[in-house]
Amino acid sequence: MSTRHYSGRRAGKWFRAVKRWARPPQVSSTVFPPRIGLALGGGFARGVAHAGVLRVFERYQIPLHCITGVSAGAIVAAAFASGTSASEIAKIGCSMRFADVARWSISWMGFAVSERMVAFLHRLLKRFRFEEMQLPLGVLATDLASGEAVSFRDQGDVCLPIRASCSYPGMFKPVRYGDKLLVDGAMSMEVPALLARQMGATHVVSVQLPMQTPAMAPQNMLAVVNRSFQIMQAQTEESWRKLSDVVIVPDVREMEWDAFKCANQMVEAGEKAALEALPEIQRWLRGNASTKQERVAAIPLLTDSVPA
């Protein structure tokens, strides 16, 4: 064998080795199913519209990775996570009245107390601890002193966090938790999309209950307070929308904050809005959707979750 031929073979092997080394790594084509998180916003009596959204999710068998809620959304989220069906939630919501969850008790800190909510929750929920839930549950409240969001998840009793998340400032007395005074979770985040992301959701469906129409002028002090908070929350809406892949907005703009008598209409509004969003959600399940997963790595932390 000549030296030239031998050198040529060595050079050929060297070039083939370099080519293999320089070849781009193979990207796995494995497609993982989406982890869908449902984030339910507040709205007091209008929160019964969430039951209509859940009916659609049940009917079309949309799998949920987790569910989070603030205020009225926390009640519905906890009920569904505990195993209560959407129809049961709707039925109870349609018969619910203010006296079921609150009692007027005027004090320097508020006009009502929410101890009655515990008995109501024991009728509505199937389970009462975070670690026992059929579906991972997150509840958001707000630290009145710092203004920071306080998340509850993973373990502990659910009733106190729900009461805290529903403690609308000015109306309900704050709920004491350790050295904290807690109020409505919507004061720090109107819709808990961030909490759903932190619980591992790759796709977040947020449900917002919109502000009443301008034609519905407030007729009493509580309505004035409610409208004022809605205006304030509208200014920070982008913060949770940018963490949401789909936003469902039931048309309850003609409903008052305490419109329990219109519950059936609100459930229907929730169903209609969810059906409009359904094709996009089903597209995720077929694996054809782009996502906002790039945001997950950069998600800021809420106040550390605490056991209830």
Side-chain angles (χ1 to χ4, degrees), residues 3-305:
T3 303
R4 178 179 297 178
H5 182 61
Y6 179 72
S7 299
R9 287 182 61 186
R10 292 189 64 183
K13 288 182 179 180
W14 185 83
F15 279 116
R16 285 194 296 272
V18 169
K19 187 177 181 181
R20 284 196 300 269
W21 175 79
R23 186 181 299 155
Q26 296 297 311
V27 178
S28 172
S29 60
T30 303
V31 177
F32 295 97
R35 298 193 299 272
I36 300 175
L38 183 62
L40 306 181
F44 203 66
R46 302 187 307 155
V48 74
H50 292 313
V53 174
L54 289 171
R55 273 185 176 176
V56 172
F57 275 61
E58 280 187 335
R59 186 183 311 146
Y60 291 91
Q61 300 180 333
I62 303 300
L64 290 179
H65 170 75
C66 63
I67 187 168
T68 62
V70 298
S71 198
I75 296 177
V76 176
F80 194 71
S82 76
T84 306
S85 70
S87 292
E88 288 178 278
I89 296 171
K91 181 178 179 180
I92 293 173
C94 289
S95 63
M96 181 181 172
R97 295 295 180 266
F98 179 82
D100 292 328
V101 295
R103 174 176 59 85
W104 295 112
S105 179
I106 297 176
S107 73
W108 291 112
M109 300 291 280
F111 291 110
V113 292
S114 60
E115 282 83 357
R116 287 182 180 177
M117 188 177 293
V118 175
F120 174 78
L121 292 173
H122 276 265
R123 296 196 303 271
L124 178 63
L125 274 59
K126 307 292 187 185
R127 293 167 175 78
F128 306 97
R129 295 186 64 82
F130 284 93
E131 64 268 30
E132 296 172 353
M133 294 291 165
Q134 291 186 352
L135 180 67
L137 168 68
V139 173
L140 205 65
T142 302
D143 184 337
L144 187 59
S146 68
E148 294 179 343
V150 179
S151 61
F152 293 86
R153 48 180 283 200
D154 300 331
Q155 61 178 336
D157 178 74
V158 302
C159 292
L160 184 143
I162 294 172
R163 284 183 54 220
S165 188
C166 292
S167 293
Y168 202 77
M171 181 174 182
F172 288 100
K173 290 174 62 176
V175 171
R176 184 168 293 281
Y177 176 76
D179 61 350
K180 299 179 185 293
L181 280 178
L182 302 180
V183 295
D184 197 317
M187 296 301 103
S188 51
M189 183 167 287
E190 182 186 0
V191 180
L194 174 57
L195 182 53
R197 291 277 183 197
Q198 292 178 326
M199 292 177 69
T202 59
H203 297 66
V204 175
V205 178
S206 292
V207 185
Q208 180 198 32
L209 303 177
M211 185 167 60
Q212 286 95 347
T213 62
M216 296 183 65
Q219 300 297 316
N220 55 58
M221 182 189 69
L222 293 177
V224 169
V225 172
N226 179 256
R227 178 64 67 90
S228 298
F229 278 124
Q230 288 178 333
I231 293 170
M232 178 189 70
Q233 289 165 352
Q235 308 308 309
T236 59
E237 190 172 315
E238 184 182 354
S239 64
W240 59 263
R241 276 188 175 269
K242 68 182 182 181
L243 292 165
S244 307
D245 294 279
V246 161
V247 178
I248 296 174
V249 186
D251 188 3
V252 292
R253 293 171 298 173
E254 300 293 334
M255 311 295 178
E256 297 285 357
W257 66 276
D258 58 348
F260 291 106
K261 61 182 180 297
C262 301
N264 284 313
Q265 294 169 252
M266 292 187 284
V267 171
E268 291 173 5
E271 286 193 69
K272 180 179 179 182
L275 285 169
E276 291 173 357
L278 185 64
E280 174 64 13
I281 297 169
Q282 290 176 322
R283 194 162 68 91
W284 301 342
L285 298 173
R286 292 194 299 269
N288 299 325
S290 60
T291 72
K292 296 183 179 180
Q293 293 185 49
E294 67 277 4
R295 294 178 179 163
V296 176
I299 288 176
L301 293 177
L302 292 169
T303 301
D304 290 341
S305 62

